[in-house]
Amino acid sequence: MLPSNMPAKISAGEKDLQSDRSESPNRVAVFIDYENARQNAREAFLPFSSPSHVGVFDPVALATHIVSLRNFPSKLAKVYVFRGRPNPKHQPEAASAFDKYAAKWKQSEVCELRSRDLKYRHYDDGTFSAQEKGIDVDLAVQAIQHAVTNKYDVIIIMSNDSDLLPAVEFIYHETRPRLEVAGWEADGQYPLRIHRGTSKSRAPYCHYLGDHVFRQVQDD
């Protein structure tokens, strides 16, 4: 028998019912792997020749739309945006654009932007490449932290990055909040789907977002 002060572990099915039957609206937090989602939207909905900067979207508008798709009374409590920031020394225009969008998003009280500097590799011909580092780890840590503290009733993760699967599996199997995922609805897009320790019918619910949704939230 569990101590009286220790909550009993509940199954995924039980926590789904517990969350869905709540009289008050579900408090929903949406975690967006921003560049992953942006690049996937470009591949899914934009011409191949589109300039590299095209495909920016409003994360608050997207999260609000996702929450509106739920079949149960729900309220967007927070949207966490994870994105790498360009270095002004190497990419001044990109860094300026990043800061302008960041300032705009932060005007919403429900938006929290978590950024980390891009990592650069320089080549002998004077060119360089930039890559996000630590973004997926930060998203995983934050999602798990908020799941184990029961800060929200529902956690929705939008990313196709399979490196997040261990975090997704842990939240789904070991914590109380209901876990859902979101992704673009197009050929070649594979939102996070787990089957370890569960049947397909009990895998996290996925919110599929079509081209019309992307056009509504696009903010280039």
Side-chain angles (χ1 to χ4, degrees):
M1 178 178 295
L2 292 171
S4 58
N5 63 342
M6 181 179 294
K9 182 177 178 180
I10 57 177
S11 69
E14 288 173 330
K15 73 178 179 182
D16 289 351
L17 292 175
Q18 181 185 49
S19 177
D20 296 341
R21 289 175 178 173
S22 173
E23 294 182 359
S24 58
N26 290 164
R27 287 175 50 81
V28 183
V30 180
F31 293 74
I32 300 177
D33 184 350
Y34 192 88
E35 277 303 305
N36 181 280
R38 188 180 78 88
Q39 293 297 337
N40 286 330
R42 284 173 51 83
E43 294 176 8
F45 307 128
L46 298 179
F48 181 76
S49 59
S50 298
S52 60
H53 68 275
V54 173
V56 176
F57 60 87
D58 184 333
V60 177
L62 181 63
T64 300
H65 180 83
I66 293 172
V67 172
S68 74
L69 297 175
R70 304 193 74 245
N71 292 327
F72 306 95
S74 303
K75 175 183 178 181
L76 176 61
K78 203 77 172 179
V79 52
Y80 296 92
V81 183
F82 299 82
R83 191 184 189 193
R85 181 182 184 274
N87 187 320
K89 179 180 178 181
H90 303 304
Q91 297 178 286
E93 292 184 359
S96 177
F98 178 99
D99 292 342
K100 289 178 181 178
Y101 278 113
K104 177 181 178 181
W105 299 341
K106 290 178 181 178
Q107 290 177 5
S108 170
E109 61 182 11
V110 300
C111 184
E112 179 175 322
L113 173 64
R114 297 183 61 86
S115 62
R116 301 178 69 86
D117 292 342
L118 296 178
K119 300 300 181 183
Y120 291 83
R121 176 174 292 183
H122 298 270
Y123 303 101
D124 293 337
D125 62 359
T127 61
F128 62 82
S129 60
Q131 185 178 11
E132 286 186 336
K133 288 292 185 181
I135 293 296
D136 54 349
V137 175
D138 192 19
L139 192 158
V141 169
Q142 293 299 315
I144 289 175
Q145 177 183 352
H146 292 309
V148 299
T149 56
N150 297 317
K151 187 172 183 178
Y152 305 108
D153 302 306
V154 182
I155 288 176
I156 301 177
I157 296 177
M158 183 165 186
S159 177
N160 286 14
D161 190 345
S162 59
D163 288 343
L164 292 173
L165 282 176
V168 169
E169 291 169 350
F170 177 83
I171 295 170
Y172 183 80
H173 289 294
E174 305 295 338
T175 70
R176 285 183 176 273
R178 176 184 171 100
L179 175 74
E180 299 172 357
V181 297
W184 303 115
E185 186 174 21
D187 292 340
Q189 298 295 314
Y190 304 99
L192 294 171
R193 302 292 284 165
I194 64 172
H195 302 301
R196 182 185 67 82
T198 187
S199 66
K200 287 186 177 181
S201 63
R202 298 286 349 136
Y205 182 84
C206 181
H207 299 277
Y208 288 100
L209 311 171
D211 175 78
H212 69 287
V213 176
F214 173 66
R215 303 296 177 180
Q216 290 174 11
V217 302
Q218 190 175 0
D219 189 20
D220 286 319

